[in-house]
């Protein structure tokens, strides 16, 4: 039986736990297992390969007539196949356009990803994907705001404690934001030896630098702070190395910052590195509550919520509130069939960017339906919140990327806000109105952390901007390097990108910050896919790092 880590237990102990639970309850026992793992269970005639409920561990597979190749990553499966599969065309198109993958698919035709909460059933009759766990809607908790905030904080701290268990020398990837400060407070509550705080600072970029806030969080929670000042670095180098080692493109350019942090963690002897990943999604507002209010005829409440969307500002113009009612409330409340009818009649430019070829638009729209979350049961806000954790992070390859980073970095990386079922269930029982405030984001968590984190961090509502870190290199020599490759007449990505879209990427970077950020993101994505296509025929021999 192969398993990954279970918070609070050794793999061997976890294997015995599965055996014992399976003997008593059968496969129903899986719905109560906590932690991150992949488990293989067999009764002789059949076997089941199970991925944990929130998908912290990943599993790729390729099923053929009478055999199935399994591996944690795509490259593990590729090594077992007689030849590298051809690209999955629509998966490539969707990755270029949305930076997401179709449900349960990879960039390689015939290589699938087992989704979170699913299992593979292997038998003489073939390989079948089955769902063994999905969240179920229940009533939200009642209580005062103080009581609800306390319950949320305690569960968040409990999630941090669960993620920390077994660590001899824990560390925290610390920023100046609320979420990592919350993890720091949870580490302080958990006790034990003081954790290391590892941070990247940007002394040359005031819009991105959070040095003062990082120092405040570390000091408040008693963390031993080690900071790395970020200077100009090769942005593409780490991304291309990742692509060549793992045969898939990284979904973000943050390797240029995370790799030095991993090296620092190894130098300090950190064995488990935590972070505040997914805090925005976990504790943020679920905007489709506006649609729930409209469906229930609560027009006054819907109008109030339309003026309370986080980030809207202190005085929300009535035109913006009307837009929110229409674009979020009405669109969210419409049935799926009506949404599909509306999409068929919308102009092309409202559906996809100029990168998509005309003959791919319909197929992409069929694969990448933004209203897919409505297929679940429960209120709209609840369905969307669940989809954000059970579906979207897999589609963005967040979990696979995290596992690859941990392998390359040589440090176990755990994400208490991304992979803790208990915390997710607590959030899903919290009244959704508590997350709505026009000035503060994550207001209930901010209230809950009063006295537990540095006040200047808790009350800061502005976001730092890191676009300069990625836009500047791509506007210069690194971007030109990609553009030169894309300009070649035999560049393989030309089969997947429209001529007009490619032409816009080969033009100089736009002058406005927002447009430049969008342009640099598209250039990176298309350039990496072009490199990926060139790698398909290269041999798979490369030294694999240890865990």
């Amino acid at each position: 039986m192969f398993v990954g880590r279970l918070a609070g237990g050794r793999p061997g102990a976890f294997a015995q736990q599965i055996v014992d639970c399976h003997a008593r309850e059968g496969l129903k026992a899986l719905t109560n297992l906590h932690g991150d793992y992949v488990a293989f269970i067999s009764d002789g005639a059949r076997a089941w390969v199970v991925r944990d409920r929130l998908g912290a561990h990943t599993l790729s597979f390729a099923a053929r007539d009478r055999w199935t190749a399994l591996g944690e990553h795509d490259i593990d499966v590729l090594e077992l196949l007689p030849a590298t599969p051809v690209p999955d065309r629509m998966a490539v198109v969707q990755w270029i356009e949305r930076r997401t993958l179709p449900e349960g698919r990879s960039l390689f035709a015939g290589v699938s990803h087992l989704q979170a909460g699913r299992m593979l059933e292997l038998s003489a009759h073939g390989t079948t994907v089955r769902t063994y766990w999905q969240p179920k809607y229940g009533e939200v908790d009642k209580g005062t705001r103080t009581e609800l905030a306390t319950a949320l904080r305690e569960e968040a701290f409990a999630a941090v404690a669960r993620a920390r268990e077994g660590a001899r020398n824990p560390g925290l990837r610390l920023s100046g934001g609320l979420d990592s400060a919350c993890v720091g407070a949870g580490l302080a509550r958990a006790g034990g030896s003081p954790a290391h705080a590892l941070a990247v600072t940007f002394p040359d970029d005031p819009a991105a630098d959070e040095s003062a806030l990082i120092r405040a969080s570390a000091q408040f929670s008693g963390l031993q702070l080690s900071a790395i000042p970020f200077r100009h670095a090769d942005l593409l180098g780490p991304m291309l190395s990742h692509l060549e080692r793992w045969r898939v493109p990284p979904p973000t350019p943050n390797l240029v910052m995370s790799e030095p942090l991993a090296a620092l963690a190894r130098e300090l002897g950190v064995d488990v590195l935590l972070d505040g990943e997914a805090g925005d999604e976990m504790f943020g507002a679920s905007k489709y509550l506006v649609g729930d209010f409209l469906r229930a005829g609560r027009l006054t409440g819907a109008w109030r919520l339309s003026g309370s969307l986080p980030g809207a500002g202190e005085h929300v113009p009535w035109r913006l509130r009307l837009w929110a009612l229409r674009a979020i409330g009405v669109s969210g409340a419409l049935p799926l069939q009506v949404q599909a009818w509306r999409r068929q009649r919308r102009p092309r430019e409202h559906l996809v960017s100029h990168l998509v070829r005309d003959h791919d638009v319909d197929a992409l729209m069929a694969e990448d339906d933004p209203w897919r979350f409505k297929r679940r049961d429960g209120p709209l806000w609840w369905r969307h919140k669940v989809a954000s954790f059970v579906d979207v992070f897999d589609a963005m390859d967040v979990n696979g990327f995290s596992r690859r980073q941990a392998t390359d970095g040589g440090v176990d990386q755990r994400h208490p806000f991304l992979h803790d079922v208990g915390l997710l269930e607590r959030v899903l029982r919290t009244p959704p109105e508590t997350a709505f405030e026009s000035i503060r984001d994550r207001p209930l968590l901010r209230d809950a952390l009063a006295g537990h984190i540095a006040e200047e961090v808790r009350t800061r509502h502005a976001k730092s901007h890191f676009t300069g870190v990625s836009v500047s290199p791509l506007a210069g020599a690194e971007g030109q390097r990609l553009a030169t490759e894309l300009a070649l007449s035999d560049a393989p990505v030309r089969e997947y990108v429209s001529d007009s879209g490619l032409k816009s990427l080969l033009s100089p970077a736009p002058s406005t910050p927002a447009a430049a950020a969008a342009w640099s993101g598209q250039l990176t994505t298309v350039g990496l896919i072009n490199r990926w296509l060139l790698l398909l025929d290269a041999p798979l021999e490369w030294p694999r790092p240890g865990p």
Side-chain angles (χ1 to χ4, degrees), residues 107-371:
L107 292 172
F108 300 94
V111 177
S112 302
H113 291 166
L114 186 64
Q115 295 172 271
R118 268 77 164 186
M119 68 170 75
L120 286 180
E121 183 177 282
L122 310 175
S123 70
H125 302 292
T127 301
T128 305
V129 177
R130 301 193 185 280
T131 299
Y132 73 88
W133 176 82
Q134 286 286 301
K136 294 182 179 179
Y137 176 68
E139 296 298 323
V140 297
D141 292 340
K142 292 179 170 51
T144 66
R145 186 175 181 89
T146 299
E147 291 169 339
L148 294 169
T150 299
L152 182 64
R153 181 188 66 237
E154 294 306 304
E155 193 61 50
F157 285 177
V160 173
R162 286 189 285 267
R164 186 197 189 282
E165 285 183 359
R168 298 182 305 278
N169 191 19
L172 166 63
R173 190 163 56 194
L174 184 65
S175 72
L178 181 73
D179 301 319
S180 63
C182 180
V183 177
L187 285 170
R189 168 74 71 83
S193 58
H196 290 276
L198 288 69
V200 176
T201 60
F202 300 88
D204 299 330
D205 189 347
D209 192 55
E210 298 178 333
S211 298
L213 296 166
I214 289 169
R215 288 193 298 270
S217 283
Q219 183 176 1
F220 195 98
S221 295
L223 306 173
Q224 305 175 58
L225 177 61
S226 300
I228 302 174
F230 181 87
R231 308 292 182 183
H232 175 71
D234 180 4
L235 184 73
L236 286 176
M239 300 177 75
L240 293 174
S241 295
H242 183 98
L243 175 64
E244 291 170 3
R245 289 169 71 81
W246 295 101
R247 296 301 167 95
V248 289
T252 75
N254 72 359
L255 284 166
V256 72
M257 292 174 281
S258 61
E259 287 187 351
L261 278 183
L264 177 60
R266 293 194 304 272
E267 180 182 332
L268 294 172
V270 169
D271 58 340
V272 172
L273 187 61
L274 277 63
D275 59 33
E277 184 82 22
D280 283 338
E281 293 81 3
M282 176 66 81
F283 303 111
S286 188
K287 61 185 179 181
Y288 290 106
L289 181 63
V290 180
D292 286 318
F293 274 40
L294 288 179
R295 294 171 95 184
R298 300 171 61 182
L299 303 184
T300 302
W303 177 255
R304 176 178 52 80
L305 286 177
S306 70
S308 302
L309 291 171
E314 187 174 359
H315 302 290
V316 184
W318 65 269
R319 293 180 187 276
L320 180 59
R321 300 180 76 160
L322 285 176
W323 174 86
L325 283 175
R326 183 181 68 253
I328 298 173
V330 175
S331 292
L334 290 175
L336 269 173
Q337 296 84 347
V338 177
Q339 286 288 5
W341 179 83
R342 291 181 71 196
R343 291 181 80 200
Q344 291 173 358
R345 283 151 181 79
R346 295 188 69 187
R348 179 195 190 281
E349 58 270 19
H350 291 178
L351 298 173
V352 297
S353 76
H354 55 285
L355 293 175
V356 181
R357 287 178 169 269
D358 289 340
H359 60 76
D360 286 327
V361 173
D362 289 343
L364 177 60
M365 290 300 96
E367 292 284 358
D368 185 34
D369 182 1
W371 303 105

